[in-house]
Amino acid sequence: MNKRKEQIDIEETKRKERIKHKRGPRKRGQNQNPKSEVRKQKRKGIGKKVAIAAGSIAGVAAVVYLGGAFYFNSHFYLGTTVNGNDFSGKSVKAAETYMGKQVDSYVLTLNEIDGGTETISGQDIDLTYKPGDDLEKVKDQQNPFLWPVCLWSKSELTASVGVEYDAGKLETVINSLDCMKEENQTPSQNAQPKYDGNQFVVQPEVVGTAINVENFKKAVDSYISGFQPQMDMKEENCYTLPKYVSDSQEVSDAVTKMNQYLGSKITYDLSPKTEVVDRTLISQWLTVDENMQVTFDSEKITAYIKELASKYNTVGTTRQFVSGRGDTVNVSGGDFGWSMNQKDEYAALVANIESGKEVTREPKWSRRGADHGDMNDYGNTYAEVDLTTQKFWFFQDGKAIMNCDIVTGKPNGSDDTPQGSYDLTYKTKNAVLRGEKLANGEYSYESPVAFWMPFNGDIGFHDASWQTRFGGDWYKTHGSHGCINMKYDDAQKLYDLINESTPIICHF
């Protein structure tokens, strides 16, 4: 029994030794799982295959890349156009052959700004093709080793192609184009301030059809030399462009200044009436010059002031007047009344607008009346001379506070007292009135007076101690040289009442 057990132990030991010998010596920490070992060996095999495949692909790519570099060393990139002609993948020689074949049918189409087109035929200018090195130079600008970029991008190139033409014939063709005719050319318009009903804004520029001849001829020459089929005349600056465009600082500054002027408001005090100048009128008077400087339309402002003056001026007008005797008379002539100083008013109005402020004032007058009433401009304080009845009245605040007889000019055609409306020139005491100076140096008359009140040149009120009668028909035979003769006391009283703003009405 023990021997059999011993034999079994010996056999087991030999079996383990065989296994150990087959696997090799076991290292510490090593996974002795046989399946794991198999998987590891498979992975090693796959890695080798991947490396071999990658190397093969890289080799093919290198061959393709180098082949492309070699090819594009003498050929244009894919997607390349030269002067609008498609030369994708073509050699320079092939491109030149193509260009040469196209000369006979070459036409340059001019695309005009208004949508029209005109053409210049190569046959009309004796266009011929002359090969040169221009296309070769353009091709040499591309790097053959960067050829892969052409797979996702395009190249639009320009070159001066070897063509020749008759310059004289081209000049004739250009000059005969419709776009060159004067009647077909409209000038460009600058961007400029424009009133929108509330304020000034920038009105965009307009490019017209007027040709910039120098630019146009240069562009045509360039396009024909480049053998290009289409030319956009606007893009090539063939038109006379406006000096100022929407974003020009000068235009912006002008708009700002003009809007500042719109803030002005001028109210004319014409009691009891008023006239107002506000942005509605001011906007019509503002403009800009050729240098975009804000200016005033002097004609329009002058016309407005002239209209204002005609509305309120009264000097020289015929007035209806209710006389001291109670009837209504028409009085014409004289220099009394309102008369606007239009030159001074123009300067004052422009200055008011430039201030950008609101102001209330009277117009600038060269002569003043007493009132802007609808009936007359005398007001209710005035002096009245009745040449028919030889009566004088002085009205103060509408009431007659003086009434006396007078003697006016002798009605002989030279000494008559003229009718009309006047205001007092001045008044003084103790004056000597003199007539015409004679050849001997003396005067035709000399009359000392205590009170002198002229209103129409040398015609005025004064005391006349030499008169023995006043009123009635006395003036017809003993009338003055045109003055209004008064008794001493009446002249003194009038002297105290009258002043330079007192209207004087002489009437029949």
Side-chain angles (χ1 to χ4, degrees), residues 21 30 84 201 207 357 375:
H21 178 72
Q30 183 175 353
V201 296
V207 179
K357 299 178 181 179
M375 296 301 295

Side-chain angles (χ1 to χ4, degrees), residues 1 209 489:
M1 185 69 176
T209 59
D489 292 343

Side-chain angles (χ1 to χ4, degrees), residues 103 122 126-130 162-165:
V103 166
D126 295 343
L127 184 69
T128 58
Y129 181 69
K130 186 176 182 180
V163 295
E164 292 181 345
Y165 57 83

Side-chain angles (χ1 to χ4, degrees), residues 317-335:
T317 60
T318 298
R319 302 168 175 85
Q320 279 195 340
F321 176 71
V322 178
S323 70
R325 62 183 183 239
D327 59 343
T328 299
V329 296
N330 291 322
V331 183
S332 60
D335 58 8

